[in-house]
């Protein structure tokens, strides 16, 4: 493997690590907070709605949009790190 292939492989592995982490966070928020932990969260209210219901209906969408911006920022840093920022 030449240097270019090693760099591309390292870049891809780090990209997959970021994706895995961010999708895990989204899974925990959408499935965990909206379904699994709904009952304990419903003891609290946000904007007049039970928190478990809010996460199931809107919270997971907000978190997903935030994670998109986080991913863009992480990828910009990763591009600079590996010299792919043109």
């Amino acid at each position: 493997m030449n240097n270019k292939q090693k760099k591309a492989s390292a870049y891809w592995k780090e990209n997959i690590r970021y994706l895995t982490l961010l999708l895990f966070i989204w899974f925990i928020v959408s499935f965990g907070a909206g379904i699994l932990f709904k009952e304990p969260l419903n003891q609290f209210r946000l904007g007049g709605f039970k928190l478990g219901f809010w996460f199931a209906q809107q919270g997971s969408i907000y978190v997903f949009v935030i994670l998109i911006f986080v991913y863009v920022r992480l990828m910009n840093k990763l591009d600079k790190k590996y010299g792919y920022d043109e």
Side-chain angles (χ1 to χ4, degrees):
M1 218 188 260
N2 65 25
N3 191 31
K4 203 174 200 179
Q5 289 173 329
K6 287 180 184 178
K7 188 169 88 168
S9 178
Y11 175 87
W12 184 246
K13 284 180 183 178
E14 202 163 340
N15 181 16
I16 294 298
R17 194 174 328 125
Y18 288 151
L19 280 173
T20 303
L21 175 65
L22 294 175
L23 287 174
F24 179 74
I25 291 169
W26 187 46
F27 174 79
I28 292 299
V29 170
S30 63
F31 188 73
I35 298 172
L36 295 179
F37 307 118
K38 181 183 80 164
E39 293 305 321
L41 289 173
N42 279 342
Q43 296 175 1
F44 306 99
R45 292 192 171 266
L46 180 66
F49 298 101
K50 293 178 179 179
L51 191 57
F53 174 79
W54 184 84
F55 268 111
Q57 298 303 312
Q58 297 197 356
S60 62
I61 296 169
Y62 290 145
V63 170
F64 184 70
V65 170
I66 290 168
L67 289 176
I68 290 171
F69 286 104
V70 169
Y71 180 70
V72 167
R73 183 178 170 115
L74 288 171
M75 290 309 296
N76 284 337
K77 286 183 179 182
L78 191 64
D79 288 347
K80 287 179 185 174
K81 179 179 176 181
Y82 288 97
Y84 294 124
D85 59 330
E86 294 181 7

